[in-house]
Amino acid sequence: MPGLRSKWIGIIVPFLVFVAVLTIGVWRYGYSQALDQLARRGTADITLVLDGLSSDLQRYRDQAVQLAEHPTLTQLTATRQRDQAADDLLLAAADRTGAAMLLFVDSNGTVLANSQEQQPAGLQQSRYFQRAMDGALGIAHATDTGFGKRVFYFAAPSFADTGQIQAALVTVADVENAEIGWRAGPTAVLLIDSDDNIFMSNRTELLGWAHPAGSTTFLHPNGEKHVFKPQSFGNHEVWKLNLGPYLPSEALRLTQSRPQLDMTGLALVDVAPAQKIALLQSTVVGALLLFFGALLFLTQVRRQTLSIANAKLESRVAERTQSLTETNKILRHEIRERKEAEAALKKAQADLVQAGKLSALGQLSAGISHELNQPLMAIQQYAANGGAFLERKQPDKAGENLSRIDEMARRMGRIIRNLRAFVRNENEPVGQVDIVPVIETALDLTGARMRQSGITVNWQPPPHPVWVSGGEVRLGQVLVNLISNAADAMTDSPEKQLDITVQEGNPVVLRLRDTGPGIEEPEKIFDPFYSTKQVGDGDGMGLGLSISYGLVQSFGGNIRGINTANGAEFSVELERWQEKDKVA
Ligand code: ADP
């Protein structure tokens, strides 16, 4: 994460520097553009002022030239008498142009006529009067001490018929009249004469100050000096003034020279609007750059955060997959072990079944050998009889004995077949089995034992097959087990009866009911190795019922043992065979 932070700092800092440089650039460009505009306006202002002044002065000048030759005035040079008509003429003329004063003065400086009883100070010695006396038009400007005002002087020569200069018409014009028109303008305009004096201005506070041409200095009449540091923006020069509230604190300096007026116009245009525009433009550009930069930055941060989260997720998924793969491996191993255990169990079960069968066979062996002995002895007897009858030439009787022998041999064959089937150790599939012959075979196998023990078997086989799902051999084994158990139980019973019934339905229920002492612990009888029989008396391994239980379960059936009023009852429920089972 610290690496990431320094990476971001490495991007943000140069970006901020870039924004700052660009913003300053925009500010400078915008400022110089706005200054161009201000310069155009200021130049127009200054031109307007100078043009206005020129035309004002031209008016006075023209009037002076015209009046100098007026007969009412020229005749005064001869009479040298004051004439009211001449004074009235000058007064009317002064009123027309707004001049402060008109005078008609002879070459000695004597006033022959005037528009008012006053005259400019030092008239006779003045340069403008002398110029008129030389036959030229005299123009001058000054702060007239007599009037106490700034004025323009015009002196036009008046020629006698001889061509001599006999007098001059002097016009004194108040400068303030001309200033009135441009006083209110936003641009400070200064008219500076060739003596570097600020003679006219729409900012009265600067009047009387001096500004040497081309300098950055203003000199107060009391000698105080104000120097300004000029700043350049392109072609423009901006001054920081701080010269009172009526002058801009920062101003664009513009000049325009008018030699014919003996004046140079200096305009000081307030640059605040240009600064505002430049500031606005640069702020907008800077803000936009920052905004889009921030947007870009946030998008990048978001993308980065997402990719980090993604990477984390992927690594977690990889970890989880790894652990799942391992779990899977372990599970497979366990499944293999289970399968092996299952196979071992099946094998053990099969071995048990076989053991159970052999144990049953052991129990049955006495009965079976008796069962086989009996026909064998009978065969011996019949054979002997047959031989005797042949000797006596009684072949019919001998044949009868032979057929008896055949019958006995068949019976023995059946017994041996049943035994072989019972002991057969093979996996027989669950299929359709008729329960009736299975019961008959079991009774056949146990018949000798039952007869020996004096047990009466009550069995009414149904006249038709009763089909169930099961395996013939295994079902036979279950039945031999149950019948043998009943016989064992009834050994000491006074009444020895075994009832076998088949209840048809679904399931088919086969019941074996004996008249023994009943079951001691019914909940334990299906446990392996549970036996109440004496060890060593040839019976009692305690496996018969538990094997039978497993076999019946494998057919999808059930086996139960309960006590009745006079003994025990074992019931075997078996699924009835249906056509659909065959299809399945
Ligand atoms: P085993 O016959 O070798 O003892 P089994 O599993 O066949 O083993 O029987 C277990 C026990 O169930 C017998 O020892 C006996 O106590 C009881 N039992 C089985 N059948 C009967 C029955 N018909 N009457 C009473 N008890 C029975």
Side-chain angles (χ1 to χ4, degrees):
M1 259 359 209
L4 201 66
R5 190 173 304 153
S6 64
K7 182 189 154 197
W8 283 126
I9 288 172
I11 292 173
I12 290 169
V13 171
F15 175 71
L16 290 179
V17 170
F18 166 73
V19 170
V21 168
L22 203 75
T23 307
I24 291 169
V26 167
W27 186 87
R28 277 194 77 89
Y29 178 76
Y31 190 43
S32 87
Q33 290 290 307
L35 284 181
D36 280 349
Q37 228 169 3
L38 284 186
R40 276 196 291 279
R41 215 177 63 207
T43 307
D45 283 349
I46 209 166
T47 307
L48 211 66
V49 164
L50 288 170
D51 286 353
L53 186 63
S54 279
S55 73
D56 280 353
L57 297 184
Q58 189 64 42
R59 210 170 56 238
Y60 294 124
R61 191 185 306 173
D62 292 349
Q63 192 185 44
V65 170
Q66 279 167 15
L67 277 177
E69 302 301 332
H70 200 284
T72 313
L73 296 174
T74 51
Q75 54 103 18
L76 289 177
T77 53
T79 59
R80 305 195 68 77
Q81 294 279 311
R82 293 294 298 233
D83 182 357
Q84 189 58 44
D87 288 349
D88 291 346
L89 175 75
L90 291 181
L91 186 62
D95 287 344
R96 251 195 330 275
T97 53
M101 186 199 298
L102 291 177
L103 306 158
F104 192 65
V105 188
D106 74 5
S107 53
N108 298 322
T110 312
V111 176
L112 299 177
N114 59 10
S115 61
Q116 64 177 67
E117 284 306 319
Q118 212 178 358
Q119 66 175 53
L123 172 66
Q124 207 176 344
Q125 297 77 37
S126 66
R127 270 193 66 230
Y128 63 87
F129 185 69
Q130 291 305 324
R131 290 271 296 156
M133 288 303 106
D134 291 343
L137 183 69
I139 301 176
H141 63 269
T143 303
D144 190 281
T145 45
F147 284 102
K149 285 184 174 178
R150 286 167 297 133
V151 293
F152 272 103
Y153 303 105
F154 300 92
S158 174
F159 295 95
D161 294 339
T162 56
Q164 270 191 316
I165 296 155
Q166 55 186 354
L169 189 106
V170 177
T171 302
V172 180
D174 189 346
V175 165
E176 275 185 30
N177 286 351
E179 276 176 343
I180 285 170
W182 33 284
R183 200 161 272 174
T187 305
V189 181
L190 315 174
L191 296 190
I192 304 162
D193 63 21
S194 51
D195 297 330
D196 296 335
N197 288 319
I198 298 171
F199 183 64
M200 289 177 78
S201 174
N202 56 357
R203 298 289 188 276
T204 51
E205 51 267 42
L206 285 179
L207 290 173
W209 289 50
H211 173 64
S215 76
T216 54
T217 313
F218 280 92
L219 291 167
H220 194 267
N222 65 14
E224 211 177 296
K225 207 174 177 185
H226 292 269
V227 182
F228 309 110
K229 202 165 173 272
Q231 268 184 303
S232 287
F233 290 97
N235 307 323
H236 308 296
E237 199 173 291
V238 174
W239 289 354
K240 274 200 166 127
L241 289 173
N242 296 323
L243 277 177
Y246 301 106
L247 283 159
S249 58
E250 280 186 59
L252 173 67
R253 172 186 160 277
L254 300 165
T255 56
Q256 203 177 101
S257 172
R258 279 290 169 98
Q260 63 271 39
L261 290 178
D262 186 28
M263 294 283 173
T264 297
L266 170 69
L268 296 171
V269 189
D270 191 356
V271 296
Q275 285 178 337
K276 264 188 208 155
I277 288 172
L279 191 70
L280 191 73
Q281 286 174 341
S282 58
T283 306
V284 167
V285 169
L288 279 177
L289 281 174
L290 285 178
F291 174 73
F292 284 113
L295 213 65
L296 206 69
F297 174 72
L298 285 179
T299 316
Q300 285 302 325
V301 168
R302 212 178 129 77
R303 197 177 292 171
Q304 191 112 13
T305 314
L306 270 179
S307 77
I308 288 171
N310 225 13
K312 267 190 195 164
L313 200 71
E314 269 172 20
S315 81
R316 210 175 294 164
V317 167
E319 271 171 29
R320 196 57 71 79
T321 311
Q322 171 79 16
S323 84
L324 275 178
T325 314
E326 275 164 20
T327 313
N328 212 8
K329 221 158 115 188
I330 293 168
L331 275 178
R332 265 167 214 242
H333 185 69
E334 275 177 14
I335 288 172
R336 209 170 45 242
E337 280 181 348
R338 288 258 167 97
K339 276 190 178 159
E340 282 168 10
E342 217 168 273
L345 193 69
K346 268 196 183 154
K347 170 93 178 33
Q349 269 175 346
D351 289 352
L352 267 181
V353 169
Q354 197 57 20
K357 283 197 282 195
L358 294 177
S359 142
L361 199 61
Q363 288 174 29
L364 293 174
S365 60
I368 289 169
S369 58
H370 172 77
E371 197 79 337
L372 288 175
N373 237 359
Q374 211 186 11
L376 205 58
M377 282 166 68
I379 285 171
Q380 243 177 4
Q381 191 62 48
Y382 286 133
N385 288 352
F389 279 127
L390 278 178
E391 274 175 21
R392 286 185 208 162
K393 310 271 191 236
Q394 288 180 322
D396 291 353
K397 293 259 175 133
E400 207 174 291
N401 278 304
L402 280 176
S403 64
R404 289 268 170 80
I405 288 170
D406 180 49
E407 197 182 303
M408 290 296 140
R410 276 176 203 277
R411 190 172 153 202
M412 285 173 76
R414 203 181 72 224
I415 291 168
I416 289 165
R417 222 176 18 255
N418 280 343
L419 266 177
R420 272 177 51 201
F422 180 73
V423 183
R424 207 161 52 212
N425 183 15
E426 64 190 24
N427 280 336
E428 135 204 77
V430 174
Q432 181 185 18
V433 176
D434 180 6
I435 192 108
V436 181
V438 178
I439 297 172
E440 306 258 296
T441 305
L443 285 174
D444 243 7
L445 279 170
T446 51
R449 160 109 201 261
M450 303 304 259
R451 279 193 294 278
Q452 268 178 3
S453 306
I455 296 167
T456 316
V457 177
N458 298 319
W459 160 239
Q460 293 295 323
H464 49 259
V466 178
W467 298 110
V468 296
S469 290
E472 199 173 340
V473 176
R474 287 175 282 172
L475 213 46
Q477 191 182 348
V478 172
L479 284 172
V480 167
N481 243 317
L482 294 177
I483 294 168
S484 301
N485 275 348
D488 288 344
M490 290 187 290
T491 310
D492 300 325
S493 297
E495 196 195 348
K496 297 178 183 181
Q497 291 225 11
L498 175 64
D499 296 337
I500 300 176
T501 56
V502 172
Q503 182 190 317
E504 291 178 64
N506 195 11
V508 171
V509 186
L510 173 66
R511 288 197 176 82
L512 291 100
R513 196 188 269 256
D514 64 50
T515 53
I519 307 164
E520 269 179 42
E521 293 171 293
E523 69 282 355
K524 286 191 180 168
I525 51 173
F526 296 108
D527 293 348
F529 305 111
Y530 171 77
S531 176
T532 54
K533 293 168 194 169
Q534 293 296 310
V535 182
D537 65 356
D539 359 288
M541 260 178 78
L543 284 173
L545 281 182
S546 77
I547 290 170
S548 299
Y549 184 86
L551 292 174
V552 175
Q553 287 275 321
S554 73
F555 308 146
N558 224 332
I559 180 166
R560 284 194 193 89
I562 53 167
N563 284 323
T564 61
N566 34 354
E569 181 191 290
F570 280 80
S571 57
V572 179
E573 289 174 14
L574 292 165
E575 269 182 43
R576 192 187 182 87
W577 179 267
Q578 280 161 343
E579 274 311 296
K580 73 172 172 55
D581 295 348
K582 205 193 257 173
V583 176

